[in-house]
Amino acid sequence: GQQVMQIPQYQHVQEGEDFTTYCNSSTTLSNIQWYKQRPGGHPVFLIQLVKSGEVKKQKRLTFQFGEAKKNSSLHITATQTTDVGTYFCAGGWRTYKYIFGTGTRLKVLA
Amino acid sequence: DTGVSQDPRHKITKRGQNVTFRCDPISEHNRLYWYRQTLGQGPEFLTYFQNEAQLEKSRLLSDRFSAERPKGSFSTLEIQRTEQGDSAMYLCASSYHTDTQYFGPGTRLTVL
């Protein structure tokens, strides 16, 4: 079956340090999405990657999609306290069904 | 507010009771998703509508769960004979021709 694994489960960093979360799918994906969920909030869409090897940047956030379209990463440079939350990847297949990873909970220590 | 809305925001019920949740997507969004999220987990796909057609339903769902989107606008999710294991946050999301999903605030269900 289709599974999406995400590591690490938790990450505590000092403010200003970098952060990376990794996402791996058991099967080849059509696309991958990334979401951020603040404590007590709902997931908020960050970005979608579609092409093999694609890299996209949003200010301090860099998203990558693997060449085989089975893995992805989100890298945050110089974390800030506003980056606190849980980051989810969601693997998409052509049926429009999305399977979310378990998420990486980021804590930023000031 | 033109975002996705869900009602109620919280529901406490006794085991064995039926509950129904409503989701109002962003106007003109043709796609609507239902997810369930428990503490420390990612959203778990339940079902997907394109307009009024339910195109996919998770095999994880038992027959106690049913969803409708009668006119292709709002949607309802009903859980019959609730069990304690149904306690979770039920999230609705909508999108329009793109895959960007806009999530609502969710309905938190507690089954006693």
Side-chain angles (χ1 to χ4, degrees):
Chain A
Q2 296 153 337
Q3 287 186 317
V4 177
M5 308 298 291
Q6 200 171 343
I7 56 169
Q9 192 173 0
Y10 301 97
Q11 185 83 58
H12 295 181
V13 298
Q14 287 290 136
E15 190 174 19
E17 291 183 340
D18 292 355
F19 159 77
T20 304
T21 174
Y22 301 90
C23 184
N24 288 286
S25 168
S26 57
T27 60
T28 302
L29 298 165
S30 175
N31 63 77
I32 194 158
Q33 299 180 342
W34 285 93
Y35 291 81
K36 177 183 178 180
Q37 187 172 22
R38 293 181 182 275
H42 56 273
V44 175
F45 176 84
L46 294 176
I47 208 160
Q48 175 171 281
L49 304 171
V50 179
K51 299 176 183 176
S52 169
E54 188 169 14
V55 178
K56 287 189 176 180
K57 292 190 176 184
Q58 288 180 350
K59 297 183 180 179
R60 294 179 295 105
L61 277 61
T62 301
F63 304 84
Q64 292 188 332
F65 201 8
E67 294 289 339
K69 299 182 74 172
K70 294 179 72 173
N71 58 73
S72 181
S73 65
L74 158 59
H75 179 82
I76 302 178
T77 304
T79 54
Q80 300 175 358
T81 54
T82 53
D83 295 325
V84 164
T86 302
Y87 292 85
F88 293 101
C89 62
W93 288 264
R94 297 190 186 281
T95 59
Y96 301 111
K97 175 181 176 179
Y98 285 87
I99 295 182
F100 280 71
T102 49
T104 297
R105 184 178 298 179
L106 172 64
K107 274 195 172 181
V108 180
L109 308 172
Chain B
D1 183 21
T2 57
V4 177
S5 61
Q6 293 187 245
D7 184 70
R9 295 291 303 275
H10 303 273
K11 178 70 176 179
I12 299 174
T13 190
K14 292 183 179 179
R15 190 176 53 187
Q17 297 294 306
N18 299 342
V19 294
T20 300
F21 308 141
R22 177 180 170 123
C23 170
D24 286 89
I26 294 172
S27 180
E28 296 183 354
H29 275 198
N30 60 331
R31 299 178 187 171
L32 189 145
Y33 298 79
W34 283 100
Y35 293 90
R36 176 173 64 188
Q37 186 175 29
T38 54
L39 196 63
Q41 299 296 315
E44 177 187 10
F45 173 84
L46 294 179
T47 191
Y48 160 71
F49 289 87
Q50 182 154 312
N51 299 312
E52 64 275 11
Q54 187 175 20
L55 297 186
E56 191 146 358
K57 183 177 176 180
S58 171
R59 280 172 280 183
L60 298 173
L61 285 188
S62 70
D63 291 340
R64 297 185 297 108
F65 287 72
S66 62
E68 293 183 343
R69 195 182 183 198
K71 296 182 180 179
S73 56
F74 74 92
S75 176
T76 58
L77 176 69
E78 180 183 16
I79 308 175
Q80 295 182 327
R81 305 181 303 281
T82 52
E83 302 172 356
Q84 286 186 327
D86 297 331
S87 295
M89 177 73 83
Y90 289 83
L91 293 164
C92 173
S94 70
S95 67
Y96 179 68
H97 291 313
T98 68
D99 292 331
T100 302
Q101 295 179 64
Y102 296 87
F103 280 82
T107 294
R108 182 170 296 283
L109 173 66
T110 302
V111 182
L112 302 176

